[in-house]
Amino acid sequence: MIDRRSFLVLGLASGVPPLRVSYADPFTLGVASGDPSPDGFVIWTRLAPAPLAEDGFGGMPAAPVPVYWEVATDPACAQVVRRGTEEAVREWAHSVHAEVAGLEPGREYWYRFKAGTYVSPIGRALTAPPPASLPKSLTLAVASCANYQHGHFTAYSRMAGERPDLILHLGDYIYEYGRGEMPCPGGNVREHEGPEARTLTGYRRRHALYKTDADLRAAHAAAPWVPIMDDHEVRNNWTSLLPAERREAAFRAYYEHMPLRRASVPRGPMITLFRRLRWGRLATIHMLDTRQYRDPLVCGAGFDTCPESREPGRTITGTEQERWLLEGFRESRALWDIIGQQVFFGQRDRRRGGEKLVRQDAWDGYSASRTRVTRGWLDAGVRNAVVLTGDVHSHWAGDLALDYDDDASTLVGTELAVTSVTSGGDGRDHDRARDALVDGNPHLKFHLRRRGYLMVKVEPTALVADFKVLSYVSTPGAAAHIAASFAVPDKIPGLLRRP
């Protein structure tokens, strides 16, 4: 049980002035941690006693509020090792991003906040291992695509119960659609508040709505998050051609509601989200932004032949991010280089004779960019390359090749694509169009259109991926079970199906 009295005393002893508050409990949106380093991590909360207030400010007064935080070595927060104060201001919707440093590497910590007389829930965080160490393992939970209207967020609570070291969220954390728009097959389970999010107020209210979900709050409190944005945090299939005002509003609200470091503070219509996280010598995680810097689509977002999209100069990452990624490959000494990103990386060709018929919104629509990145990790001598992908609302497992049109092309890596948390509703066991993609593309090994998440265990000798599914999301409480499991042995590209 939380010893609230001792925490209040600690707060006062640390110079946090008592407040005469006129608002209710402000910690309705929970707590979160993220982006761990060997000596610390960022911890987050947002004060919002009325999270869906129409002005987007969560029911908070205009004045700044001092928020006290503490980090401890035990789950009850009795053994405090770091504490401090951050000022929550109206300009940033009274969100708090405290970057904690000076901690021991490679261990668990717990944290909480205090504002006025109120104390937050406790969250669990981890520091990364020492840079020169070789950890025994790294456990990742991977998720994407959580449409509030399409189902319950049970998958979040199930992954929280597995106590991963990190949760990688690969995009579509919220959906921008208005109430009743883009309904789920069979009807929406619950509804968004108000019209499509287009303004800062609209995006703030949408993020707040999602965080009123207890399952999502549980996942944030369970482990550090490493999130990246896709399209629905802004608008479906957006590119840099989207008006700057809307991008600025969406990016600001995203930062306000995520455990991101100061390096990701948005600057107008730009936000820096690509970054790198190292887990000792075991793994390097490269998080990519494939939305903000990509060249515009030339033949729409769907499946198309589109020879123009295969022009050699086209990029899905932008020149600066591509250079950063290739430098990261060259500098990496990790056993496993893991690329976390949004859209399908390997080829998915629907043709039945004739020209390629591939999805233009994915790396297939930027095939020259894919070749440069793939050749980059080969030229750098990356030991094991694994791409983790969101967006597709289905579980996929596939091998990666340098040339997908050459059946004899050497395998060069692995792609594991995670299904949606809810988007698309309960799903089904078979999907004729996507099953045909597996049949027509020999490097694709598995597909399943159910909801769920991905659990990845990285060890020095192998990476094991368990594709977790839930039988339903239209009602809460479904159990999670393993639909398929694959192993990738060290230095042997190619998926092995596990019994």
Side-chain angles (χ1 to χ4, degrees):
M1 181 177 294
I2 299 174
D3 185 353
R4 291 176 178 262
R5 179 174 297 178
S6 65
F7 187 34
L8 295 179
V9 171
L10 282 170
L12 294 174
S14 303
V16 179
L19 297 176
R20 293 186 177 182
V21 295
S22 58
Y23 49 82
D25 184 352
F27 295 111
T28 58
L29 305 184
V31 299
S33 69
D35 282 16
S37 65
D39 74 333
F41 36 75
V42 60
I43 56 176
W44 169 94
T45 193
R46 181 192 164 200
L47 308 183
L52 300 183
E54 291 190 3
D55 62 3
F57 289 111
M60 288 297 294
V65 176
V67 179
Y68 171 80
W69 57 264
E70 63 181 20
V71 174
T73 57
D74 65 298
C77 286
Q79 305 299 320
V80 176
V81 292
R82 287 289 182 276
R83 55 170 59 96
T85 306
E86 299 287 327
E87 190 175 65
V89 299
R90 188 174 179 86
E91 180 185 5
W92 294 97
H94 288 92
S95 60
V96 174
H97 300 74
E99 295 191 21
V100 183
L103 301 175
E104 296 179 13
R107 64 156 301 158
E108 288 181 308
Y109 288 93
W110 288 264
Y111 62 94
R112 60 184 173 182
F113 299 88
K114 170 184 173 285
T117 59
Y118 296 101
V119 179
S120 77
I122 292 174
R124 170 179 171 263
L126 287 82
T127 50
S133 69
L134 182 59
K136 293 181 179 179
S137 66
L138 165 64
T139 302
L140 305 172
V142 187
S144 75
C145 302
N147 190 326
Y148 182 90
Q149 298 190 128
H150 286 191
H152 295 275
F153 289 166
T154 312
Y156 283 137
S157 65
R158 297 293 176 253
M159 72 175 70
E162 303 207 33
R163 292 178 64 82
D165 297 320
L166 298 172
I167 294 176
L168 271 58
H169 199 286
L170 301 181
D172 293 346
Y173 180 87
I174 65 164
Y175 277 68
E176 81 283 14
Y177 300 126
R179 181 182 180 91
E181 295 176 354
M182 293 297 291
C184 178
N188 286 342
V189 171
R190 48 190 182 173
E191 297 290 352
H192 283 153
E193 290 283 335
E196 179 177 339
R198 295 174 177 270
T199 64
L200 179 55
T201 296
Y203 286 116
R204 281 172 170 167
R205 295 185 73 239
R206 186 60 48 81
H207 275 279
L209 173 67
Y210 277 53
K211 278 192 166 69
T212 61
D213 186 282
D215 292 330
L216 176 53
R217 295 199 307 275
H220 274 299
W225 278 48
V226 185
I228 197 77
M229 185 187 296
D230 193 18
D231 56 341
H232 287 290
E233 291 89 348
V234 185
R235 195 200 69 180
N236 187 35
N237 295 334
W238 70 276
T239 68
S240 59
L241 299 179
L242 187 71
E245 294 81 4
R246 185 164 182 181
R247 282 183 283 135
E248 180 175 356
F251 295 167
R252 190 178 190 89
Y254 184 80
Y255 175 79
E256 290 171 348
H257 291 85
M258 285 292 177
L260 294 168
R261 291 180 178 269
R262 283 186 289 272
S264 294
V265 172
R267 292 169 175 80
M270 300 293 292
I271 185 171
T272 302
L273 292 174
F274 65 88
R275 60 204 190 277
R276 193 171 286 121
L277 187 151
R278 295 179 174 86
W279 207 257
R281 292 188 295 114
L282 179 63
T284 297
I285 302 173
H286 313 266
M287 299 297 288
L288 300 188
D289 180 346
T290 64
R291 285 289 168 196
Q292 193 173 182
Y293 313 106
R294 63 164 60 192
D295 288 330
L297 299 168
V298 291
C299 297
F303 280 82
D304 200 292
T305 54
C306 196
E308 299 92 334
S309 72
R310 299 195 291 272
E311 291 181 0
R314 283 176 55 76
T315 176
I316 195 172
T317 62
T319 303
E320 178 188 351
Q321 185 179 194
E322 182 179 301
R323 184 185 304 115
W324 167 88
L325 179 61
L326 299 185
E327 288 176 356
F329 290 152
R330 290 191 292 269
E331 294 170 357
S332 177
R333 299 297 178 267
L335 300 184
W336 299 87
D337 278 80
I338 298 171
I339 303 164
Q341 57 94 47
Q342 296 80 7
V343 292
F344 212 86
F345 189 85
Q347 181 171 286
R348 293 186 300 168
D349 186 359
R350 277 186 177 176
R351 66 178 155 180
R352 295 293 181 265
E355 289 192 85
K356 287 183 183 180
L357 182 62
V358 295
R359 186 166 178 82
Q360 298 299 307
D361 186 55
W363 287 78
D364 271 333
Y366 302 83
S367 56
S369 193
R370 176 175 61 203
T371 300
R372 289 192 300 272
V373 169
T374 306
R375 194 178 296 280
W377 78 57
L378 288 174
D379 292 345
V382 165
R383 185 181 179 106
N384 298 291
V386 177
V387 178
L388 300 179
T389 296
D391 180 66
V392 287
H393 301 182
S394 299
H395 280 319
W396 292 86
D399 298 325
L400 298 176
L402 190 61
D403 183 358
Y404 294 94
D405 298 323
D406 180 1
D407 292 340
S409 182
T410 303
L411 300 183
V412 297
T414 302
E415 180 169 23
L416 305 169
V418 65
T419 189
S420 62
V421 171
T422 58
S423 301
D426 289 336
R428 51 195 178 275
D429 292 330
H430 300 287
D431 184 290
R432 182 175 301 175
R434 288 168 175 80
D435 292 345
L437 282 172
V438 174
D439 295 337
N441 293 269
H443 58 282
L444 298 178
K445 304 301 182 184
F446 172 72
H447 163 260
L448 186 63
R449 197 172 178 79
R450 286 285 183 184
R451 309 289 77 88
Y453 56 99
L454 179 64
M455 292 299 299
V456 177
K457 188 169 187 179
V458 187
E459 296 180 328
T461 58
L463 178 149
V464 174
D466 291 336
F467 289 88
K468 295 292 188 80
V469 298
L470 283 70
S471 298
Y472 53 87
V473 294
S474 51
T475 56
H481 66 275
I482 299 174
S485 184
F486 289 88
V488 183
D490 176 39
K491 296 184 70 175
I492 306 176
L495 287 159
L496 300 177
R497 185 77 178 252
R498 300 175 77 228

